[in-house]
Amino acid sequence: MNVISDKLQVEGNRWIGTRTVRPDGADKVTGRAAYAADNTMPGMIWGKVLRSPHAHAVIRSVDTSKAEALPGVKAVVTARDIVDFPVDKSVMLGIQDMRWMCRNVMAREKALFHGHPIAAVAAINEEVAAEACRLIEVDYEVLPHVIEIEDAIRPDAPILHDFLKHEGKPSNIAGTMTAKLGDVEAGFAEADVIVERTFRTRPVHQGYIEPQACTVSYAADGRATIWSSSQGQFMVRAMTSLLTGVPQSNIKAIPAEIGGGFGAKTIIYLEPLALLLSKKSGRPVKMVMTREEVMRATGPTSGSFSTVRIGAKKDGTIVAAQGTFYIQAGCLPGGPLRGPVGCAFAPYEIPNVLSVGFDVVSNRSKVAAYRAPGAPLGAYAAECVLDEVAEKLGMDPLELRLKNSAKPGSKAAYGATFGKVTFEETVEAIRTHEHYKAPLERNPRPGVRRGRGVASGFWYNAGGESSAQVNITEDGNVLVTTGHPDVGGSRASIANVTAELLGIEHGRVSVQIGDTSSIGFSNLTGGSRVTFASAMVVTQSTEKVITQLRERAAKIWKIDPEAVTWENGEARPAGPNAGQFPPLTLKELAAKANEMGGPIGAGVQLNTQGADPGFATHVVDVEVDVDLGIVRVLRYTAAQDVGRALHPSYVEGQIQGGVVQGIGWALSEEYLYDRQGRLDNAGFLDYRMPVCSDVPMIEPVMLEIPNPKHPQGVRGVGEAPIVPPLAAIANAVYDALGKRFYSLPMSPPKVLEALEE
Amino acid sequence: MTDIRYLAPRSLEEAVSAFAAAQGAARILAGGTDLLVQMRNGVVKPGLIVDIKKIAEMTEIAETPEGGFRIGAAISGATLAEHPRFGKAWPGVLEAINLIGSKQVQGRASPGGNLCNGSPAGDSVPAMIAAGAVVTVQGPNGRRQMPVEAVPAGPGRTHLAPGEIVVSFTLPPRPAGSGDAYLRMIPRTEMDIAVVGCGVSLTLQGGTVTAARVGLGAVAPTVLLVEDAARALIGSRLEEEALEAAAAACRAACRPINDKRGTIAYRIKVAGVLLKRTAAIAAQRAGGN
Ligand SMILES: Cc1cc2nc3c(=O)[nH]c(=O)nc-3n(C[C@H](O)[C@H](O)[C@H](O)COP(=O)(O)OP(=O)(O)OC[C@H]3O[C@@H](n4cnc5c(N)ncnc54)[C@H](O)[C@@H]3O)c2cc1C
């Protein structure tokens, strides 16, 4: 469903808003698309990582001599080869601190989780490399380990890092973050109804299909080429440079097609190791993680332990909200506190807010970003408590949200004062949707109960640095280069925008993703920023190209460029000259390019601004098999302000994908550890992501309310959809069973046990 | 690095002699959907692989003179599903075999592999036990027969003697008024391993159960034949008390573990629930015969 509020932006569009064939589609469905592991090179050898068998241990020594002596082994690297960033001085790259990254790619003083890299080997094939790993002798002093948040914050918990202090004492609390507005205690004093609950969630995996992989070739002249799959070739270049000491100008990072990332591929694991192995061996080195390595040793998102308290007056006015969010960081600091702390209460205008996050380290792999990092954790707690507040007040839960919704000029606790706010529209869209109004058959069969739940969500969205180059080929077609790996169909959207602006057939535009040496700096594919930011720089570049084209035509016609317009793919004389010359098409102008001034093309590099936040409201119907404790999602409708759907299929795909990931998070996904601190379900069989048959067709309701700060009205859409599902489903399960669940996932044994209480 | 030899003999005799001669360093390969996974994980490192899919008898479906079926142990689930009559006679056995994995896995996975892999959660095994299936086994000392429930010895272990290969499953003739069914509890709707699996085969005459067998999977170190549950059903008209008694017998038979797939308490409860649901489907199918 598509609700467009501003007709002006749509009428007359030929490509924007249409479902064109995606540029990378044919390659992907025919198996031709080259992912990171598809790369091979002459003389290439294989790298493998030796990983810690302990969850927590001091590394007394690492002896690689036997591995190095094994025939076929070409190089071995250890932490000594990685640039050491001392723990007392922060060195930031974006949101990543190199103190922690250098210890994440290779354990330094201590092994901090089962699977932590200890050394890496390159050999003539994978078998020899694996054999060499077995020959490395590591002397460990095994330490007690701690996995769960509640254990890690106990006073007697094993401490991971002596240098981390909280309230003056060594602690596993690595940091805190606070968002504050007004005076919560005064606010609660005014409340007629107060609900306070504590919630627990488990770490979940992003579920990308393609394991991390790379090939790195370090040449004799000190220049390195990296082929890898990531959410940012410039991030790969910068982080590899920092961790290896090779200057950025000597590294070319080539992005492969990416088989999913969802945030996880905004950091690297293998590239610095492969570069150092290549440097030592003089050979290109390829490294590919197994699925088991991906699950054990790359970052999922955090588990959480949160308490939320909300107070409201009898009429439904929320007067105070408080949240305490303990968020897992994994083994090194850096959990996504900003997600729960800033987003949990952001959809609402609440005068008194206190939101505090704690970054908790434990002996697990360091967390990585996952779609709206941390925001689902906060929304889960806040939106479930809101459901209880509505119940206590006898109010419809959507009415309660409408009554308190943020408005233009509302101040959010995280600091922003909102401009245009489109939250109410998402609530209204659900409230008036046929799904919300449809009667629900509560007991369709014996042993089966159904319920309905709603929840909302907020995500910041982001702008940031992007570069584009638009070139007209000699035969009069168009090549657009941007600097962002395409994880969600961004090339398709960019093709639509370029063809629209130039007024030409869509098929004449090719869109490619440049490597770090062929396009200007472009920040990560993350934060729901790529379509927003790259459409902006591509628009400005294309406008410059159009100006050049008008100038060329003016030169040919010997008239003033101001008197030339660009319409339907051709230059036309305008004003007093109108009709004096036959129009010049793109092809004709391209053919004359050199005689009239040289190649035609333009690029723009910007730190883009104006990415307004995203809001979403969801409704879900669930069915519970009360004898087996199985919860199934029957129907799901997700309304979101999408700004402008440049290519509706990929906007719908973002919404549907985010919801499905939320369903898995709510019902079946979790990292399970054994007593030795080893991950017990390191594979997709026992790490239960939903399969197709587990979910209904998710109905996206795209509210196209143009973002006034963007040339096409684009708003980021990739992250908001994963924010509401956890609470929406929990609220629906309550509606079905009359029992509230305060921990995820709501797996069958948990549900059955609760039903028997 | 270790070398692996691969043989694909055309006769059972050749297969048995190569398998026996390798003295435990060999592995039989049917569909390979367990074996290859285990080799990749480094759990098994065979020196010799004996592929049995080229042996005609092992991939055949034969109707026995008595009116039963004999199916080759290495037949794939997909092939079995295409047989015009097997699924009509044994819908429960077929659905159990067809539940294994996905479409891709179905093209390879065999009932023989499912049984010999020795997993207590193997889906076809409870249904085969409920069906009263008997396996024909060939080894260095010739042929013998054993009921399916006598094959598993514990997780990953069987009572097959060294060098023995399971050749086929023989399912008995179906009297009028018979039906079977298999249900498993998995948290997802597919691509999952049974937390509990239950196979029931019934024969009814005039609404009264005259014969019953119950197989229960994933609740003990081996798949179980639950004779007490069958006894509770025989002679009944599947009244609630009889079903509850059979469910109680199933719960009593459980000796499960807590693991990543389910808790002890959960598995025990679910065993009873599945018995009732499976029996209802089997009875409905029996009535439809
Ligand atoms: C993705 C996936 C999903 C799966 N889903 C399920 C599921 O839902 N339910 C389920 O029960 N299983 C499942 N499995 C496991 C597996 O597919 C089944 O156990 C299957 O029936 C094994 O049959 P196979 O022919 O592939 O066995 P193979 O792997 O060829 O053999 C399995 C074992 O039995 C031995 N063996 C095989 N045949 C004989 C014989 N005739 N005589 C003696 N020894 C023999 C082999 O040496 C090996 O040790 C799944 C596996 C995968 C990879």
Side-chain angles (χ1 to χ4, degrees):
Chain A
M1 192 174 143
N2 210 354
V3 183
I4 298 170
S5 70
D6 185 350
K7 288 268 181 281
L8 284 177
Q9 293 239 347
V10 180
E11 272 162 19
N13 277 346
R14 192 167 160 215
W15 302 113
I16 289 177
T18 67
R19 298 171 192 264
T20 49
V21 172
R22 74 189 276 167
D24 47 323
D27 274 357
K28 282 180 176 162
V29 297
T30 57
R32 276 192 183 79
Y35 294 92
D38 294 327
N39 193 55
T40 58
M41 285 189 78
M44 187 184 87
I45 57 174
W46 287 83
K48 279 243 174 266
V49 175
L50 172 71
R51 296 178 182 280
S52 169
H54 306 294
H56 195 190
V58 173
I59 302 166
R60 290 210 198 97
S61 65
V62 180
D63 181 352
T64 60
S65 52
K66 285 189 183 140
E68 281 165 71
L70 184 71
V73 171
K74 302 290 180 191
V76 179
V77 299
T78 65
R80 260 174 299 166
D81 300 291
I82 310 278
V83 175
D84 184 7
F85 290 84
V87 298
D88 49 14
K89 187 168 168 281
S90 175
V91 176
M92 299 303 288
L93 177 70
I95 59 166
Q96 302 300 337
D97 192 325
M98 291 305 117
R99 290 180 289 173
W100 317 138
M101 287 314 299
C102 79
R103 284 166 177 77
N104 199 40
V105 300
M106 198 65 95
R108 195 159 276 278
E109 303 81 8
K110 284 208 248 180
L112 296 167
F113 66 96
H114 175 256
H116 202 163
I118 303 295
V121 175
I124 49 166
N125 61 37
E126 288 182 275
E127 289 74 22
V128 174
E131 180 60 31
C133 284
R134 281 188 286 273
L135 292 175
I136 295 173
E137 290 168 358
V138 188
D139 183 11
Y140 294 104
E141 178 192 337
V142 179
L143 302 171
H145 65 272
V146 61
I147 298 289
E148 303 298 344
I149 295 176
E150 285 157 87
D151 298 327
I153 59 178
R154 279 216 294 263
D156 58 346
I159 295 293
L160 269 74
H161 307 288
D162 302 330
F163 53 84
L164 290 179
K165 303 256 178 355
H166 180 65
E167 291 172 348
K169 289 195 283 281
S171 170
N172 292 322
I173 295 178
T176 63
M177 177 183 274
T178 302
K180 193 168 179 285
L181 210 58
D183 174 352
V184 270
E185 282 319 317
F188 283 117
E190 282 177 52
D192 299 311
V193 167
I194 295 177
V195 176
E196 177 178 321
R197 301 285 179 228
T198 294
F199 299 84
R200 290 172 178 81
T201 70
R202 312 285 279 171
V204 294
H205 182 57
Q206 298 84 351
Y208 44 91
I209 296 173
E210 181 199 26
Q212 280 79 356
C214 69
T215 306
V216 181
S217 175
Y218 186 92
D221 62 359
R223 290 175 195 278
T225 308
I226 302 174
W227 290 262
S228 73
S229 160
S230 78
Q231 288 175 243
Q233 61 273 42
F234 291 91
M235 172 281 296
V236 169
R237 181 178 76 176
M239 217 177 266
T240 305
S241 166
L242 283 160
L243 296 175
T244 60
V246 177
Q248 287 191 17
S249 53
N250 276 12
I251 299 176
K252 172 157 136 182
I254 302 175
E257 280 297 341
I258 175 170
F262 307 104
K265 293 179 186 167
T266 54
I267 56 174
I268 53 172
Y269 300 89
L270 300 176
E271 288 84 342
L273 310 184
L275 186 147
L276 292 166
L277 289 169
S278 178
K279 187 175 176 182
K280 279 197 179 181
S281 64
R283 308 271 289 264
V285 174
K286 178 167 178 170
M287 299 181 84
V288 181
M289 283 203 197
T290 63
R291 179 78 58 202
E292 190 182 335
E293 285 179 296
V294 170
M295 301 213 59
R296 283 194 198 292
T298 69
T301 192
S302 317
S304 65
F305 169 59
S306 319
T307 301
V308 160
R309 185 178 187 215
I310 293 177
K313 293 201 171 174
K314 280 204 193 78
D315 69 353
T317 308
I318 300 174
V319 286
Q322 185 167 4
T324 310
F325 306 101
Y326 289 91
I327 302 299
Q328 265 158 359
C331 63
L332 291 156
L337 301 188
R338 181 177 169 262
V341 170
C343 299
F345 308 116
Y348 309 104
E349 183 173 87
I350 306 174
N352 305 294
V353 176
L354 180 61
S355 198
V356 186
F358 296 90
D359 192 27
V360 183
V361 295
S362 65
N363 297 108
R364 302 167 167 268
S365 59
K366 174 173 167 47
V367 300
Y370 181 17
R371 252 185 152 141
L377 306 174
Y380 167 53
E383 297 285 315
C384 285
V385 169
L386 269 187
D387 207 58
E388 288 196 53
V389 171
E391 191 184 18
K392 285 215 160 138
L393 292 168
M395 241 177 129
D396 175 277
L398 293 180
E399 295 291 347
L400 178 66
R401 285 171 174 81
L402 278 180
K403 185 166 177 67
N404 294 284
S405 82
K407 295 172 189 54
S410 293
K411 204 162 159 36
Y414 73 85
T417 301
F418 291 130
K420 188 164 180 168
V421 181
T422 49
F423 175 50
E424 274 182 23
E425 286 86 338
T426 70
V427 181
E428 271 302 341
I430 291 299
R431 207 174 62 95
T432 55
H433 195 278
E434 182 271 328
H435 179 176
Y436 194 61
K437 294 193 274 187
L440 184 70
E441 199 183 341
R442 297 197 154 267
N443 301 293
R445 299 183 299 282
V448 171
R449 283 190 234 148
R450 291 181 178 169
R452 179 170 291 162
V454 297
S456 297
F458 167 91
W459 180 248
Y460 304 102
N461 290 336
E465 307 92 322
S466 283
S467 302
Q469 176 72 30
V470 175
N471 288 338
I472 305 301
T473 56
E474 300 94 292
D475 61 357
N477 293 310
V478 186
L479 179 65
V480 183
T481 306
T482 70
H484 303 293
D486 174 1
V487 267
S490 55
R491 275 168 290 188
S493 294
I494 292 306
N496 282 1
V497 169
T498 314
E500 190 74 58
L501 293 172
L502 283 168
I504 57 172
E505 283 302 314
H506 178 264
R508 289 173 60 192
V509 180
S510 291
V511 187
Q512 65 154 8
I513 298 151
D515 61 54
T516 52
S517 303
S518 62
I519 186 74
F521 177 77
S522 298
N523 210 326
L524 291 164
T525 297
S528 298
R529 61 176 295 273
V530 164
T531 303
F532 171 86
S534 58
M536 200 178 261
V537 286
V538 167
T539 298
Q540 295 192 10
S541 306
T542 308
E543 283 166 350
K544 285 191 177 181
V545 166
I546 291 173
T547 304
Q548 291 175 14
L549 290 165
R550 287 172 42 229
E551 284 165 2
R552 299 298 168 90
K555 208 166 168 187
I556 293 169
W557 292 328
K558 304 197 171 61
I559 62 176
D560 182 23
E562 291 307 310
V564 178
T565 59
W566 186 260
E567 274 171 63
N568 285 332
E570 51 190 29
R572 294 179 185 170
N577 306 305
Q580 280 198 16
F581 310 98
L584 280 165
T585 64
L586 182 56
K587 270 197 190 331
E588 289 163 339
L589 288 166
K592 294 194 172 150
N594 281 352
E595 47 191 283
M596 299 321 286
I600 303 170
V604 166
Q605 298 178 271
L606 273 186
N607 182 11
T608 64
Q609 307 288 327
D612 275 2
F615 294 93
T617 300
H618 295 182
V619 57
V620 57
D621 294 350
V622 301
E623 176 172 291
V624 188
D625 178 331
V626 298
D627 297 312
L628 298 180
I630 299 177
V631 179
R632 298 250 184 265
V633 175
L634 293 180
R635 186 171 182 191
Y636 204 112
T637 307
Q640 188 174 327
D641 170 15
V642 304
R644 187 76 185 92
L646 298 177
H647 193 304
S649 300
Y650 303 120
V651 175
E652 290 165 353
Q654 290 293 321
I655 296 176
Q656 292 166 327
V659 169
V660 171
Q661 289 178 317
I663 292 173
W665 201 333
L667 297 178
S668 56
E669 296 180 34
E670 58 183 317
Y671 271 43
L672 300 166
Y673 282 78
D674 68 13
R675 281 211 210 107
Q676 282 75 45
R678 296 175 300 211
L679 186 62
D680 202 16
N681 57 340
F684 282 143
L685 184 56
D686 286 305
Y687 177 81
R688 290 191 170 97
M689 298 189 69
V691 296
C692 279
S693 52
D694 289 330
V695 292
M697 181 52 86
I698 310 297
E699 188 184 333
V701 179
M702 296 186 287
L703 303 172
E704 298 208 58
I705 307 164
N707 174 2
K709 300 175 191 157
H710 189 275
Q712 284 83 28
V714 170
R715 184 182 296 274
V717 295
E719 289 170 294
I722 203 175
V723 183
L726 280 52
I729 294 166
N731 293 338
V733 170
Y734 167 71
D735 189 48
L737 300 178
K739 258 184 187 302
R740 295 222 179 245
F741 287 83
Y742 297 108
S743 89
L744 299 183
M746 294 176 282
S747 59
K750 237 191 239 175
V751 172
L752 202 59
E753 199 182 309
L755 281 170
E756 299 211 328
E757 267 165 17
Chain B
M1 267 184 300
T2 43
D3 287 335
I4 304 175
R5 273 195 314 138
Y6 170 85
L7 284 182
R10 306 237 160 218
S11 80
L12 202 46
E13 291 66 32
E14 257 182 277
V16 167
S17 66
F19 187 37
Q23 296 195 335
R27 275 287 188 291
I28 298 295
L29 173 78
T33 60
D34 279 316
L35 184 64
L36 296 191
V37 175
Q38 289 159 5
M39 285 171 60
R40 221 188 129 132
N41 290 346
V43 181
V44 291
K45 294 189 176 109
L48 168 70
I49 287 176
V50 183
D51 185 341
I52 53 174
K53 289 194 293 296
K54 302 254 163 25
I55 303 167
E57 192 183 355
M58 302 211 52
T59 55
E60 258 169 23
I61 309 172
E63 287 170 75
T64 63
E66 307 80 57
F69 282 89
R70 200 179 56 245
I71 59 174
I75 197 162
S76 75
T79 308
L80 195 59
E82 282 164 10
H83 192 271
R85 285 172 301 279
F86 181 78
K88 294 205 172 72
W90 294 103
V93 171
L94 183 63
E95 73 197 349
I97 294 173
N98 287 162
L99 274 178
I100 296 171
S102 56
K103 194 138 199 129
Q104 295 93 322
V105 172
Q106 278 293 304
R108 312 290 302 178
S110 67
N114 201 224
L115 177 63
C116 297
N117 187 52
S119 162
D123 279 308
S124 69
V125 186
M128 286 284 194
I129 290 175
V134 169
V135 289
T136 298
V137 174
Q138 182 148 333
N141 303 322
R143 282 201 171 206
R144 61 174 179 135
Q145 298 210 309
M146 56 206 287
V148 168
E149 60 271 21
V151 176
R157 293 184 298 116
T158 67
H159 285 121
L160 296 175
E164 277 188 326
I165 297 175
V166 172
V167 181
S168 60
F169 293 78
T170 305
L171 289 89
R174 277 317 243 168
S178 299
D180 74 330
Y182 174 77
L183 286 180
R184 64 177 183 178
M185 190 283 155
I186 51 171
R188 284 189 287 216
T189 45
E190 56 182 315
M191 290 308 291
D192 218 328
I193 301 293
V195 178
V196 180
C198 180
V200 174
S201 174
L202 297 174
T203 304
L204 280 85
Q205 274 174 17
T208 300
V209 178
T210 58
R213 282 174 68 89
V214 174
L216 208 50
V219 293
T222 61
V223 181
L224 303 174
L225 168 68
V226 191
E227 290 177 305
D228 286 348
R231 268 194 285 278
L233 297 175
I234 294 170
S236 81
R237 303 178 69 81
L238 297 175
E239 305 84 350
E240 184 51 36
E241 309 86 84
L243 286 170
E244 184 43 49
C250 284
R251 288 192 293 265
C254 293
R255 284 172 285 123
I257 53 167
N258 277 325
D259 70 5
K260 58 195 168 192
R261 294 179 184 146
T263 60
I264 291 173
Y266 183 74
R267 286 190 154 111
I268 291 175
K269 269 180 252 166
V270 168
V273 175
L274 286 193
L275 178 279
K276 291 187 186 179
R277 292 187 184 180
T278 316
I281 299 169
Q284 198 193 357
R285 288 175 178 166
N289 267 5

